[in-house]
Structure formats: structure tokens, C-alpha cells
Amino acid sequence: MQNFLEFERPIAELESKIEELRHLPTAPDINITDEVAILEAKASRLLKQTYAKLTAWQKVQVARHPNRPHFLDYAEALFTEFTPLAGDRSFAEDRAIVGGLARFRGRSVVVMGTEKGSEVESRVRHNFGMARPEGYRKAIRLFEMAERFRLPVITLVDTAGAWPGIDAEARGQAEAIARSIEASLKLTVPLVATIIGEGGSGGAVALATGNSVLMLEHSIYSVISPEGCASILWRSGDQAAVAAEALRLTAQDLLKLGVIDRIVPEPVGGAHRERAAAIAVLGDALQETLKPLLDMTPADLKLQRRQKFLAMGAHGL
Amino acid sequence: MSWLTNVVLPKIRAVVSAKREVPDNLWTKCPACGQMLFHRELEANLNVCHACGHHMRIDAKKRMAVLFDKGEYARIELPKPVVDPLKFRDSKRYVDRLKEAQAQHGPNRDAILVAHGKIGGNDAVVAVFEFGFMAGSMGIAVGEAIVAAARLAVLQSAALVIVPSSGGARMQEGILSLMQMPRTTIAVEEVKEAGLPYFVLLTDPTTGGVTASFAMLGDIQISEPGAVIGFAGARVIEETIREKLPEGFQRAEYLLDHGMVDMVVRRHDLGETIGRLIGLLRKPVLEAPKKRA
């Protein structure tokens, strides 16, 4: 059962009509197969048209789609010997950030990312992808391990943001994020970051200061959620769609602004419609991105990352 | 009610009261304890309430005067980065909001000032946030200023002191404001790599993306009493967890108790404390006083 978004209603209606026709008893006077084929062509045309010109707000909804592949889906499909490592060695294991050692196309890497979970139980276990300080401190530990054993780091980001809770504040949420940014910027091994769904504010940046930053075609990356921005600047949550537009949070805008380096195309109709295909495309993009970085010297890797971020903001849209 | 009372009287009153003009800024009511404080005494006490010790917010210039020896410092000109990169508009255009803030604070200004001088006799570069300028929010201009301050500190072989007072990232610059988190982190890293001390003086309030980057990375973290310091805003936390926040939550003393700052220091003692610490870090062996030839 496909989970349709509001703006996909016309497509949903067509597809349910097709389903109905298929289950109709065969009648000699109408050719159902032809009719179905016509409708299917129409539906696929409509899907293509819709997804070719998604608004920023529509992309927000696609990026948050419950059927969209999450970190663990990519980790399982793209890596072998994936061995998650747990704990910050100080307070707790935060399952909002999952990470560990794995092989990517034969090469040992550190892979980590924010995991939102896929049904009630796993969503709760992963705290909906919103990490506490322990999650970021585990990330720091993994960055340092990567540095020590000279392993490239691959991060996949999908989070609404860091967890805003009393416990998180008490244990230094801000400090943990700051240290994670610091640790990642110090790396002398390649770091490739990909925004696979939502890149929510500081909680996302903590894992996203890559030598190369990729974004899936319909993912978003923003300083604040459109809802939060609307409630502060427009004083109304209803203006979220307007805020989404104003914030320039789409992959296409961020590429123009020089904040990301590459857009990874999604299958027509979004990654949630053809999950395996979407995951495979990212795998190839990661390999291509990683290749030149592997030839760089440790000093150059750090320098290139720094210079890239320092150069940001030199021009607007 | 007549034309007389409705129109004429208010007009007369307006004229009369304008002429009398009792300055309403002679007295300030302490927002913490309600005590009425005479402006000259309040200023002489560095805008700290005599009665309860509440530290009121002060602007960047006053802050500079408090920190530098004898209040002497030299401001540096800051880079002028691209303005309104996203062509952002909410109920107002961002460029208009900027113009309004600049009309109040001065042309080409943004939410930060950078100066150099001496603290406790040691060379120091100080970057101070201006909370009155769009809530001290950090956009490209602020990020650039921090990069400039860090590079000046390296150039002068001076300590770097950053004094945040900020609501967080400047939303109107979207992702580019978020990117100031890594950018400012790189800036302070350059200072550390040069073997120079980096101090953060957290003042009321410091929240959001500012806290979660350079502001938590000081070699030494100092806070003023009572300052609100946190990542997520209190309202956001309350809405998320539907719980009332504990007394004193996210205050400087709370952070001290939770191991997030080294010390909470009264405004009057800041210059002396920072000066002493820079000295301890940078002059490990005291030279015997030399006689002049």
C-alpha cells in the first residue's frame, strides 16, 4: 500500500482506478488491458510532471516521507560486514545515531548516520532520529577512530534536528554538537556526507562537514524547520509553505549557493517509490565522490575541507 | 465627550508634556528585583543592580570598555560580505530589517564588533556580539568578523576572546547562517593551532547555533552570573516534552553545576580574571623586573 502525500492525490486517484479496472471481470466489449495501459501511461506522465517541478514545501514532505529509505536501509544495502559500535564511553548509547565499521565496495570505512526508525517501536528506539549529546559524542569517538586507522568516513544525515530536551541540555547538547563539528573538521581522512532526507540545523551539521557534501534530489537542508521559521518570522505555523520557499532549503538551491557539491538523482516519484534503485544510485555516487579524495594527502584533505567551508557565503543566489 | 476633550486636550497635553520632558531614563527598574536604580550609579556599577546583583545586558562598546585595560581599545574594520544572499522576505524584506538595525547602530554595522588592546597587560583580540542588532543573530557578516578576529589574533600573537550574546543563527540567511557553525569552528581552531589561548565569555543570552559551535569550544569558558545559555530555546523544549522547566534551567550557574563552564564571574572581575588567566597560560615563567638602562 503506497503512502500518498497530499499533492500526489491526482496520481493516487489514477492508480486506484487502474487497480479497480484490473479487478473487473473480463467483458468482451471493452479491452481492459488497453484501457489499463493508457491509464498507466497517464499516471506515470503525471508522476514525472509532478516530481519535475516540486515546490520547496512539497520537497519537505517527500524528504520526510515515512517510506523513504533511512540510514539502516542504506547501511544494509551498500555496505558489507557492517558492524555497529555503541556508546559514548561516558553516559549512554544513543540510538538516534548509528555508526560503526563496514566495508564499502571492499574498502574499510567508518559509516554513521542519523536513523529515524520505520515503525512505532523502532522510531521510539531511535528517538525519531533526534540525537542527544551521547549520540554526538559517539560520533566524535568514531571520527577519532577513523583518523587513527586512516579510514574514510561516510555519513548519511536524516534528522529533524538534535533532541530539544531537558536531559540533552543538562548534558551539554551544544558542546557535544560543537565538538563533533570540530572533530570532523580536523580529520585528515576523507569525509563524505550525504543528506538523504532531512538535514535539520545544528544536529545535521554535526555530521555533515564533508570534503564533499551530497544531497539526494528531493532532500532538504535548513537552518530551521519551515514550521519553526514560520512561527517565529510570520508568527503563524500556517505559513510553513511560504517559509520553506524563502529558506532555500532544496538541493537545487543549495548547489547554486555552493553549500553542497553534488545532487544525487532519485527515481521518478521519489526515493520512497523505488527504494532499491534510489539506494543503488547513492552507492555509485559515493564511490565516484570518494575516489579522488583517496588520492589526496592527509594535509590536503583537511585543508580542502577548511577552504571549502571558509569560501561559503561569498556569493548569493 | 466633545471635540474639546477628544482632539484639543490631547494636543495641548502633547505640547505641554513635550516641553516639560522629564527624562524617563534617569531611573531604571531592575528586571530581576524591581529596585529603582539611578542611571549614573547603575552605569558606575557596570549595569549591575546594586540591590540584587542582576547583570543587565550591555551593548558591545560598553562591553569592550569593561574588558580592556583602562577601557582602551582599537576597533578594526570588518569585512563587508554579500548582503541578503537569499533575497529573503517574511512580513518585511530582510534588507529593510537590516537597514532599520543599521539606522539604530550605525552604517555597515552588523551584530558584532571586533577590537584589539590589552587585558591585564596581555595582547588580546576581542569580538563582542551586539544583542540589540537583530538579537545578535549570526549570519555571514558575523561569521566573517569571527574569522577576521581569529586571524588578527594569530597575526598579533594575541589571545582571542569572543563574547557571544545571540539568539542563534540568522534565519533570513538560511543555510548560509547555518554554515557559520563550521566556519567559526575553523576560525577558532586556527587560533588554537597557533598555540594561542581562546576564551569564551558567555553573556545573556547565548543560544542555538552560536552555542553549538565556537561558543562551546573555548580553552576556558567563563560566564556572567544569571546568563541564559543553551542549545534549544526554553519554549521549544516545553512544547516538545510538554513539561515545565526546572528553576534556573539553562542559567550560568546551572551550566557550572553541569560541568559546561569553568567559572561564573561578576562583571567587575572579568578583566582581571581573563587577564590573569592569559598571563598564566602565556607567561609560564615570570621574568624578574628588569632595570632600565
Side-chain angles (χ1 to χ4, degrees), chain A residues 143-161:
Chain A
F143 282 135
E144 285 168 357
M145 183 181 290
E147 180 75 14
R148 198 160 110 68
F149 294 94
R150 305 228 50 83
L151 305 177
V153 184
I154 294 173
T155 63
L156 305 178
V157 178
D158 187 14
T159 180

Side-chain angles (χ1 to χ4, degrees), chain A residues 16-36:
Chain A
S16 74
K17 201 183 270 175
I18 293 167
E19 252 340 85
E20 259 173 52
L21 275 178
R22 279 207 181 111
H23 291 91
L24 228 55
T26 38
D29 50 335
I30 41 169
N31 191 336
I32 290 178
T33 332
D34 283 0
E35 191 69 16
V36 165

Side-chain angles (χ1 to χ4, degrees), chain B residues 98-144:
Chain B
L98 269 178
K99 272 184 206 148
E100 268 171 40
Q102 284 168 347
Q104 198 191 333
H105 292 270
N108 294 322
R109 279 286 309 271
D110 206 286
I112 196 165
L113 288 182
V114 176
H116 61 103
K118 302 264 186 198
I119 301 181
N122 305 285
D123 290 331
V125 173
V126 178
V128 179
F129 278 64
E130 188 80 87
F131 189 75
F133 193 106
M134 294 189 79
S137 53
M138 176 165 72
I140 299 168
V142 168
E144 282 293 304

